[in-house]
Amino acid sequence: MPNSSAHADTFTRDHLPPASQWPELRLNGFDYPARLNAAVELTDHWVERGHGERVALVGNGRRRSYRELAEWTNRLAHVLVDELGVRPGNRVLIRSANNPAMVACWLAATKAGAVVVNTMPMLRAGELTQIIDKAEITLALCDTRLLDELETCAADTSTMLQRVVGFDGTANHDAELDRMALEKPGAFTAVPTAADDVALLGFTSGTTGNPKATAHFHRDLLIIADGYAREVLQVTPDDVFVGSPPLAFTFGLGGLAIFPLRFGASAVLLEKATPPNMMDIIHTHKATVVFTAPTAYRTMLATQTSERELASLRVAVSAGETLPAPIYHDWINKTGTPILDGIGATEMLHIFISNRLDDHHPACTGRPVAGYEAMIVDGEMKEVPRGEIGRLAVRGPTGCRYLADARQKNYVQQGWNLTGDAFYQDEAGYFHFAARSDDMIVSAGYNIAGPEVEAALLAHESVAECAVIGAPNAQRGQIVEAFVVLSVGVEPGAECVEELQRFVKQRIAPYKYPRSIRFVEALPKTATGKVQRFRLRQEFYSD
């Protein structure tokens, strides 16, 4: 635990787990000065090194150099400190789709010493309120096109949120934050944060739907680049990154912001970077690195034609769910480009086991990234024999630190991070995914908590009881499937299905809605009344 924190607001530090519950952190090879502001490393230092004219961000019809990005973020940082009263350690929520303005706000808040909470545009007021209350957030920066849900939060006097300031995600600079920034100087002295001051809170819902916040330090933001991106991706300043994961996910933040900016490369940030048009994006922007989930690669392959030119692409990164062997083979056969499966976690910040450019295999997650070690253990934390399925345990320079959450004791045991995944290790030392250890539904790269969907369904007057599971699906890996017991007098049918789906989309993020709904007379339960979801999986999806 540090003694040199620059945070005036000590909330985040005060709510970290006790040191005895931290994972063992192995920092050999990751040496940083005691004072470190990650945002400065990703922007101003490139200008100081004489590379200010290199292209940093592409999006909204503009190409911004590192010099422009540094000045933009410095102006925004002035607004945060001078006009909005942000103090080091304050939590600042950012709500936006993937665009350069979101990255600029994140960097500016980090320069100001704030602890940033990035959120997806699909989240609804109820979900945002949980995040706001958990992190005690008083200020939010929001794309003006997405203000409604946050304004609902701010209007609720029971929440912590006091102010929502809009920015223009279309780069027209016609919003409150942008207008204030135009009046500020392009130079800003960043807060001299400690390397182990918290810079980012990554929220993950877990299996209960009750959000967990994982705290990541300034040094952690650089470690994932100096480890995985340097060793596995071998990033150079000539690389151009594209991809579809939201910047609110640490997978997206690393792949589409931290990695390119750490190495003086370029990031293409397009709000409509969806799988069907990703091939065109790669061709148009001469992308060299693409990040997305396995199901997206399946869609991309379906849209590819022989006329498409992918000569610029040198590596495809797959994570979010395991990469099926057929997609691996189809991708390589049709594109000739390596596709690297890997596993990461919000708790670990990014990928910690991965295939390599010169060493990749189907149905294989690979070997630990430099600085990490992994093993497969049983319920007593004893390593199991090679080839035997067990719990994946990992440790290295990053690790889980939940914010004021009793679940820390489950995730970290004996200094190791237990990811909730079942794996096995082969005789050659490679790691292979077997299944999720919990009931998390992983659909098209999104982690969805079944109980949260159940709660949304149960709010509808037509639903008496329900249970949600992940159903196998060739395109998405899994889909959310709901088993619903209807209230007396309600007729099942297509209209009822559509009504319940529409209702869920209005209450929680639309991607969580049940794509399949089955009406049943009763749910399987224990003698004490607990729903047995495993019996639903057995009955409908047993081999």
Side-chain angles (χ1 to χ4, degrees):
M1 303 286 280
N3 298 313
S4 57
S5 174
H7 285 179
D9 178 348
T10 63
F11 170 85
T12 307
R13 176 66 60 185
D14 294 342
H15 287 81
L16 291 179
S20 61
Q21 294 179 16
W22 284 29
E24 182 179 338
L25 298 175
R26 303 196 161 194
L27 296 171
N28 293 340
F30 298 99
D31 300 317
Y32 303 103
R35 294 290 176 181
L36 176 73
N37 189 298
V40 173
E41 295 293 324
L42 301 177
T43 55
D44 300 78
H45 277 189
W46 285 108
V47 179
E48 295 169 2
R49 296 165 189 160
H51 301 290
E53 304 315 311
R54 296 192 63 86
V55 175
L57 301 180
V58 179
N60 292 322
R62 289 195 58 178
R63 300 169 66 86
R64 294 183 183 272
S65 68
Y66 277 88
R67 185 182 308 280
E68 290 174 306
L69 179 60
E71 293 178 355
W72 186 13
T73 55
N74 288 338
R75 295 178 193 278
L76 290 170
H78 270 294
V79 174
L80 293 173
V81 174
D82 303 343
E83 306 298 331
L84 302 178
V86 171
R87 296 188 304 153
N90 287 167
R91 278 73 59 213
V92 174
L93 183 146
I94 301 176
R95 173 175 167 83
S96 175
N98 286 12
N99 56 51
M102 181 179 185
V103 172
C105 287
W106 161 63
L107 291 167
T110 304
K111 286 183 176 182
V115 177
V116 179
V117 179
N118 291 316
T119 61
M120 290 191 299
M122 290 184 285
L123 296 184
R124 302 306 193 207
E127 296 160 307
L128 290 166
T129 296
Q130 286 186 303
I131 293 171
I132 290 165
D133 290 346
K134 179 81 173 182
E136 296 194 4
I137 298 169
T138 58
L139 172 67
L141 308 180
C142 183
D143 189 315
T144 53
R145 296 167 293 174
L146 300 166
L147 285 170
D148 289 353
E149 300 290 339
L150 271 179
E151 288 178 339
T152 298
C153 295
D156 185 347
T157 56
S158 67
T159 69
M160 298 288 298
L161 190 62
Q162 297 175 7
R163 185 168 183 182
V164 180
V165 181
F167 63 85
D168 191 341
T170 67
N172 291 322
H173 300 301
D174 189 27
E176 181 181 8
L177 185 65
D178 307 293
R179 289 193 293 270
M180 288 191 286
L182 290 175
E183 300 176 357
K184 298 297 182 181
F188 177 81
T189 301
V191 173
T193 44
D196 51 5
D197 271 336
V198 178
L200 181 75
L201 288 179
F203 271 81
T204 177
S205 62
T207 56
T208 66
N210 181 23
K212 302 186 292 279
T214 307
H216 298 295
F217 298 156
H218 281 262
R219 72 178 183 218
D220 297 337
L221 302 183
L222 302 186
I223 283 172
I224 61 173
D226 295 344
Y228 171 79
R230 186 187 304 275
E231 181 211 0
V232 176
L233 301 184
Q234 300 176 21
V235 182
T236 75
D238 294 327
D239 276 314
V240 177
F241 286 70
V242 299
S244 64
L247 290 165
F249 287 180
T250 55
F251 178 47
L253 187 68
L256 300 179
I258 295 173
F259 296 168
L261 297 181
R262 179 58 169 166
F263 297 99
S266 303
V268 177
L269 299 171
L270 304 176
E271 295 183 10
K272 296 182 179 180
T274 57
N277 62 14
M278 190 62 70
M279 290 292 197
D280 285 332
I281 292 171
I282 292 169
H283 171 63
T284 299
H285 295 278
K286 301 295 186 289
T288 61
V289 184
V290 59
F291 275 75
T292 194
T295 50
Y297 285 112
R298 184 191 297 272
T299 302
M300 290 165 64
L301 288 171
T303 64
Q304 184 190 14
T305 66
S306 58
E307 291 80 18
R308 297 188 189 277
E309 178 58 66
L310 298 181
S312 63
L313 194 66
R314 65 177 186 83
V315 60
V317 177
S318 177
E321 56 190 346
T322 190
L323 177 67
I327 298 179
Y328 170 90
H329 288 301
D330 287 348
W331 176 267
I332 292 177
N333 290 339
K334 292 183 179 180
T335 70
T337 303
I339 184 168
L340 305 185
D341 194 12
I343 180 173
T346 303
E347 288 85 354
M348 303 297 295
L349 188 55
H350 216 272
I351 294 172
F352 50 84
I353 296 176
S354 178
N355 282 268
R356 305 302 202 272
L357 287 170
D358 58 354
D359 184 19
H360 51 88
H361 309 277
C364 176
T365 310
R367 296 176 288 107
V369 172
Y372 293 89
E373 58 181 319
M375 64 177 180
I376 310 302
V377 300
D378 61 17
E380 298 179 349
M381 288 298 293
K382 295 179 180 178
E383 188 168 11
V384 303
R386 296 290 174 95
E388 184 175 319
I389 294 175
R391 301 188 299 170
L392 177 64
V394 62
R395 65 185 178 187
T398 64
C400 177
R401 291 174 296 263
Y402 285 140
L403 191 73
D405 201 307
R407 289 169 286 187
Q408 177 76 16
K409 293 181 180 179
N410 297 327
Y411 202 96
V412 177
Q413 296 181 25
Q414 298 181 25
W416 292 80
N417 301 273
L418 295 172
T419 67
D421 297 283
F423 265 72
Y424 69 92
Q425 189 177 13
D426 64 25
E427 292 297 334
Y430 294 92
F431 288 81
H432 301 260
F433 175 82
R436 286 289 296 176
S437 300
D438 53 26
D439 287 327
M440 176 65 71
I441 300 167
V442 183
S443 181
Y446 289 103
N447 288 340
I448 302 169
E452 186 180 24
V453 183
E454 292 169 3
L457 280 167
L458 287 169
H460 196 287
E461 60 184 8
S462 297
V463 177
E465 291 183 295
C466 66
V468 167
I469 67 170
N473 180 268
Q475 283 71 45
R476 305 179 71 85
Q478 289 181 312
I479 59 171
V480 175
E481 182 167 65
F483 292 80
V484 173
V485 178
L486 291 171
S487 301
V488 176
V490 179
E491 291 293 326
E495 289 185 5
C496 187
V497 169
E498 292 175 2
E499 166 60 20
L500 293 179
Q501 290 174 330
R502 182 166 54 249
F503 181 78
V504 171
K505 290 179 183 179
Q506 292 171 347
R507 296 186 69 86
I508 59 178
Y511 71 85
K512 300 177 183 177
Y513 86 98
R515 292 175 180 270
S516 172
I517 295 179
R518 295 177 185 260
F519 297 110
V520 294
E521 293 295 325
L523 298 174
K525 298 177 183 177
T526 65
T528 58
K530 184 176 180 180
V531 176
Q532 296 174 308
R533 293 172 184 80
F534 72 93
R535 287 180 55 188
L536 294 171
R537 286 190 287 266
Q538 289 175 344
E539 179 179 351
F540 290 93
Y541 298 106
S542 60
D543 294 331

